[in-house]
């Protein structure tokens, strides 16, 4: 079968991960074109990945009639417009989260997605494609844990990136720690339980990075929530894990429990020396979810080939964003927010 020709916008850290995966690990796909306003990123695409069609403008790139699909890895504020433009050009769309930063905007994009049922749209909630989470989902769906009663989700970035985030926060808005980080965990809770959120109550502090208070950002955020089916979900998001990138999910059921990634191990090596017993850990998200990123793009391409709908929809993006915004509102108002 002819390869799916993909145009990608955005070649930052995650963008380069996706681009490299398309070239080296995604079956039946070709990175046919890229777009970026950063010259070094275009040079990377040409020299390292062999991409011949390089554009400074996304709008210009999607005018290329050879394209079948786009992969959007641009800053969050551009996603809504770029998804809409791609669908209007008759292209399949894979977009990193979030769909947008404002709920009304996201609703309009979801309507546009629904108006184009023959085009595959997939949102980048990559944890759904991680082997460990897939194993846990199978266990939950089989009834091995009984009925889920509670979930606990940790998502803490390595402290090595804290200073760079502080500098970013002084010049740009991340959308807040819940929208920026907890949204992946929110999606997991919805995915595992099949239920929607009912109430949220959030707290936060900047003990490790007091400078972030001036930027109206948080270094640590926490939220206790209740789902419509009665499940309790607790979230902790942070930017200061000294041991490395820490993502952990615990699912507690009436007949058992599962813990995923409680030790974010880099490999199977154990070092025994004067410091005791040491296990190396993952240093960043591209490393921890390396195969999940590959799997999600292979799934996207296969959905196009097989004319199937994606398992991660625009509605998933809308619902998770609604919850994340409610979490931020709860922190700011010190109130329980009902969705």
């Amino acid at each position: 079968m002819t390869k799916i020709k993909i145009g990608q916008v955005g070649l930052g850290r995650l963008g380069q991960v996706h681009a490299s995966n398309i070239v080296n690990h995604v079956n039946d796909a070709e990175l046919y074109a890229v777009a970026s306003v950063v010259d070094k990123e275009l040079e990377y695409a040409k020299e390292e990945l062999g991409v011949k069609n390089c554009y400074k403008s996304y709008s210009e790139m999607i005018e290329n009639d050879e394209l079948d699909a786009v992969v959007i890895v641009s800053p969050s504020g551009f996603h809504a417009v770029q998804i809409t433009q791609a669908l209007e050009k008759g292209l399949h769309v894979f977009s990193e989260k979030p769909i947008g930063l404002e709920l009304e905007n996201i609703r309009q994009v979801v309507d546009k997605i629904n108006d184009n049922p023959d085009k595959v749209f997939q949102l980048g909630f990559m944890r759904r494609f991680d082997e460990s989470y897939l194993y846990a989902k199978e266990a939950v769906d089989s009834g091995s844990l009984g009925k889920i009663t509670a979930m606990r989700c940790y998502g803490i970035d390595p402290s090595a990136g804290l200073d760079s985030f502080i500098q970013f926060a002084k010049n740009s808005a991340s959308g807040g720690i819940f929208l920026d980080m907890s949204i992946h965990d929110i999606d997991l809770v919805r995915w595992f339980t099949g239920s929607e959120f009912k109430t949220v109550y959030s707290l936060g502090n900047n003990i490790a990075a007091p400078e972030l208070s001036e930027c109206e950002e948080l270094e640590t955020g926490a939220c206790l929530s209740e789902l419509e089916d009665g499940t309790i979900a607790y979230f902790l998001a942070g930017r200061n894990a000294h041991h490395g990138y820490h993502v952990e999910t615990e699912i507690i059921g009436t007949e058992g429990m599962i813990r995923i990634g409680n030790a974010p191990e880099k490999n199977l090596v154990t070092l025994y020396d004067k410091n005791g017993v040491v296990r190396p850990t993952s240093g960043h998200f591209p490393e921890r979810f390396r195969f999940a990123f590959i799997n999600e793009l292979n799934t996207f391409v296969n959905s196009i080939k097989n004319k199937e709908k994606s398992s991660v929809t625009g509605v998933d993006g809308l619902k998770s964003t609604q919850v994340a915004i409610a979490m931020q509102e709860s922190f700011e108002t010190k109130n329980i927010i009902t969705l």
Side-chain angles (χ1 to χ4, degrees):
M1 179 181 176
T2 304
K3 289 189 174 183
I4 303 298
K5 293 182 178 179
I6 295 174
Q8 178 174 315
V9 59
L11 288 163
R13 180 168 64 161
L14 180 54
Q16 290 186 17
V17 170
H18 282 317
S20 177
N21 285 340
I22 294 168
V23 171
N24 297 302
H25 302 294
V26 177
N27 300 321
D28 299 321
E30 175 185 358
L31 186 59
Y32 188 78
V34 296
S36 173
V37 296
V38 181
D39 289 336
K40 286 186 177 180
E41 293 180 357
L42 295 178
E43 290 174 10
Y44 162 81
K46 289 178 182 178
E47 296 175 7
E48 300 296 326
L49 302 178
V51 180
K52 296 179 180 178
N53 302 290
C54 298
Y55 299 88
K56 296 281 286 186
S57 164
Y58 171 78
S59 297
E60 185 180 354
M61 181 186 75
I62 62 174
E63 290 295 329
N64 191 317
D65 292 333
E66 293 294 318
L67 292 181
D68 300 303
V70 293
V71 169
I72 297 173
V73 206
S74 56
S76 299
F78 296 114
H79 291 183
V81 171
Q82 291 176 341
I83 293 168
T84 301
Q85 288 178 323
L87 290 171
E88 289 176 347
K89 288 295 296 182
L91 299 170
H92 303 283
V93 180
F94 175 94
S95 176
E96 273 303 323
K97 60 83 182 171
I99 292 176
L101 299 178
E102 298 179 359
L103 288 177
E104 185 54 40
N105 219 2
I106 296 172
R107 290 189 183 98
Q108 292 173 1
V109 176
V110 172
D111 287 341
K112 176 67 73 172
I113 293 168
N114 293 336
D115 288 342
N116 291 271
D118 59 327
K119 298 304 172 187
V120 174
F121 174 83
Q122 183 175 319
L123 192 62
F125 283 140
M126 78 290 187
R127 295 185 194 178
R128 294 195 189 199
F129 300 90
D130 175 73
E131 290 184 355
S132 296
Y133 282 101
L134 287 168
Y135 181 91
K137 185 67 161 63
E138 184 176 342
V140 168
D141 289 348
S142 71
S144 297
L145 303 186
K147 177 71 174 70
I148 295 177
T149 61
M151 288 186 64
R152 176 178 61 85
C153 305
Y154 286 5
I156 312 173
D157 277 350
S159 56
L162 181 56
D163 287 342
S164 63
F165 177 75
I166 292 171
Q167 294 306 312
F168 168 84
K170 289 178 179 179
N171 301 298
S172 306
S174 71
I177 198 166
F178 302 110
L179 186 59
D180 187 34
M181 298 184 66
S182 295
I183 193 166
H184 282 290
D185 293 310
I186 294 167
D187 178 66
L188 286 178
V189 169
R190 293 184 63 252
W191 187 47
F192 276 108
T193 65
S195 184
E196 301 296 348
F197 282 71
K198 182 178 178 181
T199 61
V200 298
Y201 179 66
S202 304
L203 297 169
N205 63 47
N206 285 320
I207 295 173
E211 311 97 302
L212 288 176
S213 297
E214 300 175 6
C215 309
E216 299 184 342
E217 288 277 3
L218 288 175
E219 181 277 319
T220 298
C223 179
L224 184 64
S225 58
E226 180 185 10
L227 274 66
E228 291 178 352
D229 67 354
T231 300
I232 298 166
Y234 171 71
F235 301 84
L236 180 69
R239 304 186 187 278
N240 192 37
H242 280 265
H243 58 278
Y245 180 58
H246 191 104
V247 169
E248 179 178 346
T249 306
E250 190 171 73
I251 308 166
I252 302 171
T254 56
E255 298 178 21
M257 62 180 286
I258 284 179
R259 184 174 294 152
I260 308 157
N262 56 307
E265 296 169 345
K266 182 182 181 72
N267 51 41
L268 299 179
V269 173
T270 303
L271 173 64
Y272 301 83
D273 64 7
K274 62 182 180 181
N275 296 313
V277 181
V278 179
R279 292 295 304 271
T281 60
S282 298
H284 44 71
F285 70 88
E287 180 179 44
R288 166 61 181 86
F289 291 107
R290 176 188 173 192
F291 294 106
F293 286 123
I294 294 171
N295 291 341
E296 68 176 354
L297 283 175
N298 269 307
T299 299
F300 173 61
V301 170
N302 287 336
S303 295
I304 296 172
K305 288 167 51 186
N306 299 327
K307 298 182 179 180
E308 299 172 343
K309 288 187 177 296
S310 168
S311 61
V312 191
T313 68
V315 173
D316 290 320
L318 173 62
K319 292 289 187 180
S320 296
T321 302
Q322 285 176 320
V323 176
I325 290 174
M327 288 179 175
Q328 185 67 30
E329 181 184 352
S330 176
F331 167 72
E332 293 172 356
T333 63
K334 305 305 178 188
N335 291 321
I336 296 173
I337 303 298
T338 300
L339 288 98

